[in-house]
Amino acid sequence: MPKTVRAAAVQIAPDLTSRAGTVERVLNAIAEAADKGAELIVFPETFVPWYPYFSFVLPPVQQGPEHLRLYEEAVTVPSVETRAIADVARKRNVVIVLGVNERDRGSLYNTQLIFDADGSLKLKRRKITPTYHERMIWGQGDGAGLKVVDTAVGRVGALACWEHYNPLARYTLMAQHEEIHASHFPGSLVGPIFGEQIEVTMRHHALESACFVVNATGWLSEEQIASIHPDPALQKGLRDGCMTCIITPEGRHVVPPLTSGEGILIGDLDMRLITKRKRMMDSVGHYARPELLHLVHDTRPARALEQVGLSGDFSDAEQDKPFEEAQDA
C-alpha cells in the first residue's frame, strides 16, 4: 500500500443532450486532475450519460420519452466509451471510479465501474436497490458486486447514494478491509438538507470503516434545470444537495468540501491514518464479536435463467441412444 495517495473528487455538470458530450467532459476532467497529480479520480452517480433527474419531477405518465432517450444514450459494458476510459486510465496511470447508466438489453442499471491504473476494469457493480423514484428507471443489482478490489492505490470499495443507508451493504465492504471508499450521489437534487445528510453519512462511514472516503456529487446549471422542467416550484427540487468531499478515517475533511458550482477537489490521503484509527477501533477485527454477530453475504450473480440437465455434448453413438438410456448413462 502506498504511504500517500492523491485523490480527486469531480463535481461537474453532464451534457444532458448526448452520451458523447458527457464522455468528453469526463476525459477533460481526468486530464485536469491527472495534471495535478491525482492517482484516484471519482465521478458522480450515473454521470454518463446523465442522472435521470426527470424521474424526480415528472409523473410516471410523462416519463416515457425521457426514459427511452436514456435507453438510447446509456452505456453498454464493454463499449467504445468504456474502452476510452480504460485507455486514459492506462495512459495517465490513474484509478478511475465512474458512475454510468448501464444498458443490458431491455433494462437499465445504476452501475459503478472501477478502472485500475493499467486500464483493466476491476469491478462492474450495480446498485442493489434503486431509491424511491429511481425504481421506475433501473433494475436491481446483486451481491456479486459487493466487492472490494485491489488497485494501484490500495483496496477500493464503492457504493452509490442511499446504499450507504444499508448498514449491511457497508459492512460487507468493511469486512473486506477497504482502504479507500469511493462513493457518489447525483447532486443538484432535493435541496440543502440532502447535502447535509451526505456529509453526515460520509463522515460516519469513514469513522466506522476506518477508511478514506472520496465522494463526488453532480451539478446542474440553471439552464439545465430549466430544460428538465419549466415549473419554478418543481425546479427547487433540482438545486443544492451537493457535497463533494474527501474524508479521513478520523472523520475529518482533507480539504474543504465543494457544495456548489463545478470544480475538482484534490486531497492527499495519508494512508498511515488507517492503522492509527483501527488501532483504536477495528469494527471487523478486534472490536468485532463474530461469534455473536456476523453477516452472511450471497455472492452469487442473479440469473433469470438457470439451465440444468444434459449438456448435449455426446458422441454420435450416444446421440442415437433412446432418451431413457442416455439418462441412465
Side-chain angles (χ1 to χ4, degrees):
M1 179 175 67
K3 291 183 178 180
T4 303
V5 171
R6 177 158 288 189
V10 180
Q11 181 168 295
I12 57 176
D15 182 336
L16 294 180
T17 65
S18 77
R19 175 179 64 235
T22 300
V23 171
E24 182 178 359
R25 296 185 184 192
V26 168
L27 296 176
N28 290 339
I30 292 171
E32 180 180 344
D35 285 345
K36 295 177 180 178
E39 302 162 271
L40 168 68
I41 306 172
V42 179
F43 287 88
E45 182 177 5
T46 59
F47 189 67
V48 181
W50 52 77
Y51 178 84
Y53 292 101
F54 66 86
S55 65
F56 192 64
V57 293
L58 290 180
V61 71
Q62 295 179 1
Q63 291 183 18
E66 281 301 302
H67 198 185
L68 287 171
R69 192 166 72 91
L70 187 61
Y71 266 85
E72 293 303 314
E73 297 293 332
V75 176
T76 57
V77 182
S79 63
V80 171
E81 292 77 21
T82 60
R83 284 190 287 272
I85 302 301
D87 287 345
V88 75
R90 182 180 65 257
K91 291 175 182 176
R92 300 306 299 258
N93 194 36
V94 293
V95 177
I96 299 169
V97 183
L98 178 66
V100 302
N101 287 271
E102 179 199 1
R103 180 171 180 174
D104 188 351
R105 295 176 174 83
S107 292
L108 298 179
Y109 297 93
N110 178 332
T111 296
Q112 292 174 297
L113 304 176
I114 299 180
F115 298 89
D116 206 352
D118 63 0
S120 61
L121 181 59
K122 300 289 287 192
L123 181 66
K124 184 192 83 168
R125 69 167 303 269
R126 295 168 174 174
K127 187 174 184 180
I128 54 177
T129 302
T131 302
Y132 191 50
H133 57 287
E134 298 171 351
R135 293 175 191 169
M136 296 199 64
I137 307 301
W138 297 316
Q140 294 182 320
D142 56 37
L146 290 172
K147 185 189 302 182
V148 173
V149 294
D150 287 308
T151 73
V153 297
R155 291 183 59 75
V156 178
L159 292 175
C161 201
W162 275 19
E163 287 187 306
H164 293 91
Y165 291 154
N166 186 326
L168 301 184
R170 292 193 304 106
Y171 194 81
T172 301
L173 301 185
M174 291 160 59
Q176 295 175 63
H177 310 291
E178 66 175 351
E179 296 163 340
I180 301 175
H181 181 76
S183 60
H184 49 216
F185 290 72
S188 289
L189 200 69
V190 179
I193 191 172
F194 199 21
E196 297 168 9
Q197 292 171 346
I198 293 170
E199 182 183 26
V200 170
T201 305
M202 297 299 94
R203 296 180 72 179
H204 176 73
H205 182 71
L207 283 166
E208 196 170 69
S209 184
C211 72
F212 286 91
V213 173
V214 182
N215 181 66
T217 56
W219 175 257
L220 292 177
S221 68
E222 285 300 311
E223 292 77 14
Q224 288 177 317
I225 291 171
S227 73
I228 295 169
H229 205 288
D231 186 346
L234 291 176
Q235 289 175 4
K236 293 179 181 179
L238 300 175
R239 294 192 180 99
D240 300 305
C242 297
M243 178 54 64
T244 293
C245 56
I246 302 174
I247 311 293
T248 76
E250 297 175 317
R252 296 173 175 171
H253 289 277
V254 175
V255 292
L258 185 59
T259 59
S260 65
E262 294 186 291
I264 301 177
L265 288 188
I266 303 288
D268 291 328
L269 316 184
D270 181 354
M271 304 302 281
R272 296 173 299 179
L273 292 179
I274 294 174
T275 302
K276 181 182 177 183
R277 171 65 177 168
K278 286 196 171 185
R279 183 183 72 85
M280 300 293 292
M281 199 285 295
D282 185 354
S283 60
V284 297
H286 62 75
Y287 206 67
R289 291 295 304 274
E291 78 282 11
L292 301 180
L293 302 165
H294 71 275
L295 175 63
V296 177
H297 172 205
D298 187 346
T299 62
R300 293 172 297 179
R303 292 182 293 177
L305 173 65
E306 182 176 359
Q307 294 178 313
V308 297
L310 298 174
S311 67
D313 185 17
F314 303 113
S315 67
D316 291 340
E318 288 175 323
Q319 291 184 37
D320 290 336
K321 290 181 180 179
F323 177 76
E324 291 79 6
E325 292 182 31
Q327 286 288 82
D328 292 339

